[in-house]
Amino acid sequence: MSSTATPKPSLYRSLFNPFLHIAGGTALLVGWTAMLLASIVSYFSKAHFDGAIDIHFGAGGKYGIFLMEQFIAWTSVTAVFYIIGIAFSKSKIRLIDVAGTLAMARLTTLPAALIGFLPVYPVKLDDPMLALTIIITLIPGIWMIALMYNSFVVSTNIRGAKAIAWFIAGLLTAELLSKVLLQYLIPLV
Amino acid sequence: MIKKLPFTCPSCSGLLQVNSLGCERCETAVSGKFDLPPLAKLSSEDQQFAIDFIRSSGSLKEMAQKLGLSYPTVRNMLDDLIQKINKNE
């Protein structure tokens, strides 16, 4: 945003950048509730969010694993993007905004978890429904990445090409971090 | 009708200066080259934001509530404004 003109709510903003209007503690509460609900749904639909931006279907397990996957993914992106924000933003950023908006971005894991109930899973490579299945799975994934990007921009005030570069680098680092954390913490459940 | 104070040149978009000041009572005119004060160089929207910020005693939380925006959005708007003021000086 280059002007101080007040952004007006719109459907696009509500779907892709609600953080212009909601951040901090409220966003954290909304996000945590969604993550909790998504973990319950994914336990039954066997949808695993096993990484910062991962979604896999098919394998069952203890409920604690599904809950931990959600929180490890969220903790990883929050830690990485907060460090990037502290290091490269010229604004005085707050952890609660980074954590809250990134938690809210995980609202999309709720519809994503529901996909696991579709009768197309588990998918076979020669299944004619494979392409459709991939598209259905990608929609909430792309939506979550768009929300995470806007969350990063609003909460850290890093914009333009710099924001795109740091977001990609941050997402890859968070993905790696989440995989390491999952490897060590999931056996504890 | 509220006349807006022009602060950029309609021809080259450069910042305008004040060339003359006049007394409404005795019609004395003072001429010279005077810079506009920093806040007068801002757009009316930016000036309104600065006024609202002062009226909120500098509370970003209060500003966010009044504008129906999130705290980081208002903080980013303020940072943009600070950047503009620094650039204009």
Side-chain angles (χ1 to χ4, degrees):
Chain A
M1 213 180 320
S2 59
S3 153
T4 50
T6 309
K8 302 273 184 295
S10 69
L11 182 65
Y12 171 81
R13 285 212 183 94
S14 303
L15 284 175
F16 293 101
N17 199 1
F19 316 117
L20 290 172
H21 303 277
I22 306 164
T26 313
L28 189 67
L29 205 65
V30 171
W32 276 358
T33 308
M35 285 160 64
L36 195 68
L37 288 173
S39 69
I40 296 167
V41 174
S42 59
Y43 170 69
F44 292 105
S45 69
K46 296 173 183 171
H48 287 269
F49 299 97
D50 49 348
I53 48 169
D54 287 50
I55 178 164
H56 296 106
F57 299 96
K62 287 181 192 169
Y63 169 70
I65 294 172
F66 294 89
L67 184 67
M68 193 171 265
E69 282 173 351
Q70 277 283 356
F71 280 87
I72 285 176
W74 165 73
T75 307
S76 306
V77 286
T78 300
V80 172
F81 287 136
Y82 182 63
I83 291 168
I84 290 174
I86 289 284
F88 301 102
S89 174
K90 286 174 184 167
S91 295
K92 284 178 187 166
I93 69 162
R94 303 189 308 174
L95 177 61
I96 188 78
D97 292 323
V98 180
T101 54
L102 283 168
M104 204 170 147
R106 296 195 68 80
L107 261 170
T108 53
T109 59
L110 198 50
L114 290 168
I115 293 172
F117 287 122
L118 293 176
V120 291
Y121 288 102
V123 178
K124 289 173 187 139
L125 284 175
D126 57 349
D127 194 330
M129 294 293 283
L130 183 64
L132 183 69
T133 309
I134 291 170
I135 292 167
I136 293 171
T137 314
L138 278 178
I139 292 169
I142 293 167
W143 186 17
M144 183 169 79
I145 291 173
L147 278 171
M148 284 168 81
Y149 175 74
N150 285 324
S151 147
F152 172 66
V153 170
V154 170
S155 63
T156 65
N157 201 19
I158 297 174
R159 281 174 271 179
K162 203 170 140 187
I164 296 168
W166 279 119
F167 179 73
I168 294 168
L171 210 53
L172 293 174
T173 312
E175 176 68 11
L176 200 70
L177 177 65
S178 65
K179 290 290 182 192
V180 173
L181 288 174
L182 282 165
Q183 201 180 348
Y184 285 101
L185 296 176
I186 289 295
L188 302 177
V189 179
Chain B
M1 187 184 73
I2 301 166
K3 286 206 282 185
K4 282 183 184 174
L5 178 70
F7 58 93
T8 53
C9 171
S11 173
C12 72
S13 300
L15 279 176
L16 291 173
Q17 282 189 317
V18 177
N19 281 343
S20 72
L21 296 159
C23 173
E24 274 192 0
R25 202 170 62 177
C26 69
E27 294 183 355
T28 298
V30 181
S31 65
K33 277 187 178 176
F34 306 98
D35 281 332
L36 283 169
L39 289 179
K41 292 176 189 172
L42 300 171
S43 69
S44 53
E45 279 171 346
D46 289 342
Q47 286 180 22
Q48 191 55 53
F49 183 87
I51 291 165
D52 289 344
F53 184 64
I54 293 163
R55 281 188 178 145
S56 306
S57 307
S59 165
L60 286 176
K61 273 185 189 169
E62 207 180 308
M63 281 283 284
Q65 272 180 348
K66 273 184 192 169
L67 297 171
L69 297 171
S70 66
Y71 179 95
T73 305
V74 177
R75 181 208 57 211
N76 297 349
M77 288 163 83
L78 180 67
D79 286 345
D80 286 344
L81 191 58
I82 293 167
Q83 216 172 6
K84 281 181 195 172
I85 292 169
N86 289 340
K87 201 177 146 191
N88 286 343
E89 272 183 347

